[in-house]
Amino acid sequence: MGEKSLGAHLKARRKKKGLSLEAVADETKIAIYMLRAMEDDKWESLPAEVFIRGFLRSYAEVLELDPDEVVEQYCRESGLCDSNEKMKPPPNPIQPAPWYHAPRLVVLIFVILAACGIAAYLLK
């Protein structure tokens, strides 16, 4: 893709095709501010890496670029992908909240109470 940054390459290709950011946003359903951030190489202002990769693939398709090449360039520039093109895990994986199992516990307690209630009713 040349020596331009990925964002500069995307912007140049969009302008060459005569597309406005609004037209790209309509087609890809990506917010204009996110498209602008990608074109300005402000990756840190975008959501999680998995979304960035999806946005890049969508944007590349609209610009008639190879989505795999675009994502590969992003990986090279950001350093967030390993050699197999897989995302590196985040430094601190997100842990489930302590109340993650609470709904199951509530259902279990309800079932036990219902069973006790039915047993008490039948044993009267």
Side-chain angles (χ1 to χ4, degrees):
M1 282 193 217
E3 294 186 27
K4 292 183 196 175
S5 71
L6 177 57
H9 180 70
L10 294 172
K11 187 174 193 174
R13 179 66 177 221
R14 176 180 59 80
K15 287 185 175 186
K16 182 178 179 183
K17 289 185 63 66
L19 296 171
S20 67
L21 280 174
E22 291 79 10
V24 174
D26 286 343
E27 192 164 339
T28 61
K29 307 300 183 220
I30 301 170
I32 292 174
Y33 79 92
M34 290 187 186
L35 292 169
R36 245 187 226 116
M38 287 191 288
E39 288 186 350
D40 294 338
D41 295 309
K42 294 183 178 174
W43 307 109
E44 68 282 351
S45 65
L46 293 170
E49 295 298 318
V50 67
F51 294 109
I52 294 173
R53 290 166 63 105
F55 293 160
L56 286 171
R57 287 185 181 285
S58 296
Y59 200 180
E61 288 172 5
V62 169
L63 298 178
E64 297 175 354
L65 296 169
D66 180 357
D68 292 331
E69 277 186 31
V70 171
V71 170
E72 184 179 314
Q73 183 174 354
Y74 168 73
C75 288
R76 280 193 313 269
E77 288 183 14
S78 68
L80 293 172
C81 305
D82 64 19
S83 59
N84 293 328
E85 181 100 11
K86 294 179 184 169
M87 297 300 298
K88 292 180 182 175
N92 297 318
I94 299 172
Q95 299 296 323
W99 45 266
Y100 176 74
H101 297 289
R104 292 180 186 168
L105 185 60
V106 170
V107 169
L108 179 63
I109 290 171
F110 178 75
V111 169
I112 291 171
L113 288 175
C116 290
I118 291 171
Y121 177 78
L122 292 176
L123 295 174
K124 277 206 267 182

